[in-house]
Amino acid sequence: MMIPEPMRDTLVYVSTCLQGHNRRIFMAKTVQSLGVGGQRRAEQLLGWNRKTIRKGMHELHSGICCIDNFSGRGRRPAEFNLPQLAEDIEAIVKPECQADPTFRTPKIYTPLTAKMMRVRLVEEKGYTNHELPVVRTIGYKMNNLNFHPQTVAKCKPVKKIKETDAIFEQIFKINKETDSCERSLRLSIDAKAKVKIGPFSRGGKNRQGENGLDHDFGPKKIVTPVGIFLPLYDETFLYFTESKVTADFIVDCLENLWPNLKKRFTPDTVVLNLDNGPENNSHRTQFIKRIVDFALTNSVTVKLAYYPPYHSKYNPVERVWGILENHWNGELLNSEEKVLGLARSMTYNGIHPKVEMVNGIYPTGITLDKKEMAFYEKKLVRFAGLENWFVDIPANC
C-alpha cells in the first residue's frame, strides 16, 4: 500500500504533535492500517523508529499504558534552544586562541574565560542574559569545541612588548574584516622546526613497540616543512625542503599555490598572517621585493599582518603543527617517503593536507642595497604607529 505525499506529510506532522503513549498508539494504528510490512514502510516513508512502533503495538494489543518518565531524561542541551551557540562561541574564541607551544598535545588554549565569553555573547551576538546558560555550561561548551579557557604556565609568553595589545587589536580587526569579505582571502604562513630523518625518538609512543635511538646521531637528511593554511576553510598546503627556508622559498610556495587559489576564490585582496621571522619580516629586503613583485604581477592587494614577538603560537597555522607533531611523534621518521606519507595521512578538522616535496637549494644572504630598497619602500603603506607589523601593498602601487 502506497502512501500519497500529502497524507505522508500529515501523518508525520500529527506524530510530532503527540507525545508518549498517545504518539505510540497513533503510530501503531497507522501501521495496522498499512497491512503486512507496515512497520518497514512506516520506517522508510515516515521515518518512524521501529522499536517505538513495536512498543506502541504492544500497548495497543495488551491495553497496558507504559508511563513515560520525561523528567528523568534530564534537560535538553543548550543547543536545542540556541542552535547557533556553538558557532557563535567558535567565531569569538577562534581568532584569540593559540596552539600548545610544546606541541605535546593538540589542545588549543585561549585567554578568554567562560565568564568573559558569556559577556561577549551578549555584547557581540545579541543574546540575552536570560536565554544564555550559566557560566559553567559555557565552559563545558568551550572544552567540547577543544578550546580550553584556562591559563597554563607553558602558554605564557617569554616577554611582552608595549605594542603587543595594540598589535593584537589590529590583527583581530583585519582578520575579522577579511573573513567577512567575499573578495578577500586570508592565509597563515609559517615554517615548522627542522625534522631529522633517521631512527630517532620524538618522545611519543608506538603500539608496535618500536624504539628510537636515544641520541641523535648523524641524520640521513634534514627537511623543513612550510605550511600555508586557510583558516576560514581549514585547508592546509605543506611544502617540504632540504634547503634553508629563505624569503625566496616562502614566496615561491605562495606563487606555486596562487593559480589554484585564484581559480577558486578570485580574491582582489590577500592577507598574510606571519610571525615576523628573520626571513619574512617587513624589513627583510628580499622578502619585500618578492612580495611586491607578486602583488604587481597578479594585480592583487597584499596585506602583511604580523603577530607580536613571543606570541607566534597565535598564528593559526601553528594549530596544524600541533596536530602533525602528535600524529607522527610515535613513529620513526627514517625515510623521506615516511615523512611525506605521515604528513598526508594527518587530518585537520577532517581535511587532509596537500603535501609536496620541493627540490633544489635556495641561496641565503640575498639582500637589496638602499637604492633598490627605496624603490620598493615607496610601494608600501605602513600602518601608523605599528609600521613593523602591518604593511599594505596596493595592487596598483
Side-chain angles (χ1 to χ4, degrees), residues 76 116 157 272 300-301 354 379:
R76 295 182 185 273
M116 293 167 59
L272 302 183
V300 61
T301 296
K354 302 291 190 300
K379 301 183 181 299

Side-chain angles (χ1 to χ4, degrees), residues 65 88 103 186 194 227 253 323 333:
C65 174
D88 290 337
F103 295 140
R186 180 160 64 102
K194 295 178 180 179
C253 292
I323 298 293
L333 305 181

Side-chain angles (χ1 to χ4, degrees), residues 217-240:
F217 300 104
K220 297 177 182 177
K221 62 174 68 173
I222 299 176
V223 296
T224 307
V226 170
I228 300 180
F229 178 59
L230 280 63
L232 199 59
Y233 303 94
D234 291 335
E235 296 182 21
T236 311
F237 302 85
L238 301 180
Y239 297 89
F240 286 77

Side-chain angles (χ1 to χ4, degrees), residues 240-246 249 252 357-363:
F240 286 77
T241 180
E242 292 184 60
S243 172
K244 295 275 189 181
V245 176
T246 65
F249 179 80
D252 281 352
M357 186 69 189
V358 179
N359 297 314
I361 301 299
Y362 282 78

